[in-house]
Amino acid sequence: MIPSVLPTYNRAPLNFVSGSGTWLVEADGRRFLDLGAGIAVNVLGHAHPALVDALTQQADTLWHVSNLYHIGSQQALADKLADATFADTTFFTNSGTEACEMAVKMARKYHFDKGAPERTDIITFEGSFHGRSSAGIAAAGSEKMTHGFGPLLPGFVHLPFGDHDALTQAAKSPTVGAIMVEPVQGEGGIRPLPDACLKGLRDLCDEHGILMILDEVQCGVGRTGKMFAHEWSGITPDIMMVAKGIGGGFPLGAVLATENAASGMTAGTHGSTYGGNPLACAVGCAVMDIVAEPSFLSEVKRKAGMLRQKLEGLVGSHPDVFEAVRGSGLMLGLKCKAVNLDVVNAGYAQEVITIPAADNVIRLLPPLNITDDEIAQAIARLDAAATALAS
Ligand SMILES: *Cc1c(COP(=O)(O)O)cnc(C)c1O
């Protein structure tokens, strides 16, 4: 008999009932150190007082009004994003997938309105992840996600990761309108795009009038030690997809854009019932107020350096389990020699949570306010997990 929850997930036998900071409490009372943060979602950990306050105050005041009306917290969050980023304007969604849908529509409408309706193709890269909607799976294009779900949304050109010649060639096509890329691939196994490549991509886009869409759903919102990952390279995109961390655990996504890139999205061209609702935007504002602070981001960088150094040590002590550390900031991956799922399970036995990714990697995406002591505990637990696995 089919379970009453549609079984699209292989769930671990864990049932968390409460959380506080970097800790999750299982129904049986065990306390787990959470290095997954809901897959890069709970950027301020669980039950952060400022987020709880923002949500409960808004809940006492007003839950929902339609986007037919002005929404104060939505306007406030859009202003904060405009202040903190390249963006002139923002459309709010409830998820990263919806942000992907919007980004695709925005790019196509831009070229359509500029008199180039043939420029519908979007270049994407092998190993990418842009969500599970029809546009999202067509964008990423992997067999694993698309198998059985055809016909797929047309207009995506899939290139190998890091193949400059293929990219230069593909960008010359008169039907290409946009390039969509994660500055650091998350699901693909924590694969950062080198800064020089991001700069090269920007140049290529400028040369051919292609819109650059960055998917910062996983790597954005302080994760790499900058507010957004592309800031490390000094370039700015035309369109950016955001979700996960921006809501700190409340469903919230966004598409940020320059005035020019957004020019096709006039009244009536797109909409969302829940996107930009008062509850989500109140929490989003509270997240921005904390994470966008330079002192907060410099702490992320400091702790990221510490965690990375300790992980290098861990790899050195367990060369039969781990191969290498990679990633950026507090978006780190351990490339495994053992089977990554076995490492994740061995972690559960030591009450530490990590997340598997492609390319036999385990991901460490802890809350950005993880403490020094918790970093030390994380390493001790991963060390114990690796020892148990090797014996
Ligand atoms: C998670 C993710 C998405 C999809 O976001 P959802 O909120 O799950 O719809 C898209 N792109 C990237 C890079 C992601 O990590």
Side-chain angles (χ1 to χ4, degrees):
M1 205 171 70
I2 191 167
S4 58
V5 174
L6 188 71
T8 58
Y9 278 92
N10 270 321
R11 292 170 197 270
L14 292 169
N15 175 17
F16 298 114
V17 291
S18 69
S20 173
T22 313
W23 298 89
L24 278 172
V25 181
E26 218 273 345
D28 64 9
R30 282 178 299 161
R31 284 166 51 80
F32 284 69
L33 189 58
D34 184 8
L35 305 182
I39 316 195
V41 168
N42 305 89
V43 283
L44 296 172
H46 302 279
H48 189 285
L51 304 198
V52 173
D53 273 1
L55 183 63
T56 50
Q57 272 185 37
Q58 188 61 51
D60 279 340
T61 313
L62 181 68
W63 286 29
H64 177 79
V65 288
S66 165
N67 279 303
L68 293 170
Y69 314 106
H70 291 277
I71 297 175
S73 57
Q74 183 183 130
Q75 182 63 54
L77 182 54
D79 290 342
K80 286 179 198 295
L81 289 167
D83 282 347
T85 71
F86 73 97
D88 301 314
T89 189
T90 296
F91 181 90
F92 292 102
T93 68
N94 306 288
S95 68
T97 300
E98 289 168 69
C100 175
E101 296 288 329
M102 166 54 146
V104 168
K105 284 179 70 176
M106 184 182 277
R108 289 181 173 168
K109 186 65 163 36
Y110 168 87
H111 290 294
F112 183 89
D113 283 7
K114 300 270 177 191
E118 72 285 359
R119 300 192 71 170
T120 53
D121 286 350
I122 299 176
I123 293 176
T124 59
F125 298 91
E126 168 262 319
S128 64
F129 182 78
H130 302 296
R132 294 297 197 116
S133 65
S134 293
I137 62 173
S142 73
E143 173 68 13
K144 179 181 163 229
M145 280 187 278
T146 57
H147 184 77
F149 294 114
L152 297 178
L153 183 68
F156 292 96
V157 178
H158 304 109
L159 299 183
F161 188 83
D163 184 339
H164 285 104
D165 294 342
L167 177 61
T168 320
Q169 203 51 41
K172 288 181 186 151
S173 161
T175 57
V176 166
I179 292 178
M180 181 184 284
V181 65
E182 294 159 84
V184 184
Q185 280 191 355
E187 304 303 307
I190 311 291
R191 295 200 292 179
L193 205 63
D195 289 347
C197 291
L198 216 48
K199 284 193 189 125
L201 259 181
R202 179 71 266 178
D203 290 342
L204 200 64
C205 287
D206 291 342
E207 187 185 334
H208 298 284
I210 294 170
L211 293 175
M212 177 187 239
I213 305 172
L214 293 184
D215 182 345
E216 293 228 16
V217 169
Q218 192 161 148
C219 62
V221 193
R223 184 55 51 193
T224 66
K226 298 270 192 195
M227 192 59 204
F228 289 101
H230 68 266
E231 293 171 28
W232 287 105
S233 71
I235 60 105
T236 56
D238 302 294
I239 299 171
M240 179 167 72
M241 298 148 56
V242 177
K244 295 201 165 96
I246 188 70
F250 200 89
L252 174 61
V255 175
L256 282 62
T258 63
E259 182 170 9
N260 183 40
S263 57
M265 302 308 289
T266 52
T269 54
H270 197 62
S272 170
T273 295
Y274 280 124
N277 69 78
L279 292 168
C281 290
V283 178
C285 284
V287 168
M288 283 296 291
D289 286 346
I290 295 172
V291 176
E293 272 298 314
S295 59
F296 183 88
L297 290 170
S298 56
E299 269 295 281
V300 173
K301 283 179 229 153
R302 184 187 64 78
K303 284 183 280 201
M306 173 192 285
L307 177 56
R308 189 174 188 122
Q309 193 183 17
K310 288 181 191 289
L311 287 172
E312 301 281 2
L314 187 71
V315 172
S317 348
H318 299 280
D320 40 347
V321 178
F322 302 117
E323 198 174 306
V325 187
R326 62 203 204 191
S328 172
L330 287 174
M331 184 171 184
L332 293 168
L334 281 169
K335 168 90 174 159
C336 297
K337 277 208 184 118
V339 176
N340 63 346
L341 279 175
D342 292 344
V343 181
V344 170
N345 284 323
Y348 293 153
Q350 304 300 326
E351 294 162 18
V352 61
I353 295 168
T354 57
I355 314 269
D359 201 25
N360 205 35
V361 162
I362 66 167
R363 274 178 281 182
L364 280 64
L365 310 156
L368 303 180
N369 56 357
I370 187 172
T371 65
D372 291 9
D373 178 56
E374 286 162 350
I375 289 176
Q377 292 201 46
I379 297 299
R381 287 171 190 228
L382 291 172
D383 185 60
T387 302
L389 199 61
S391 64

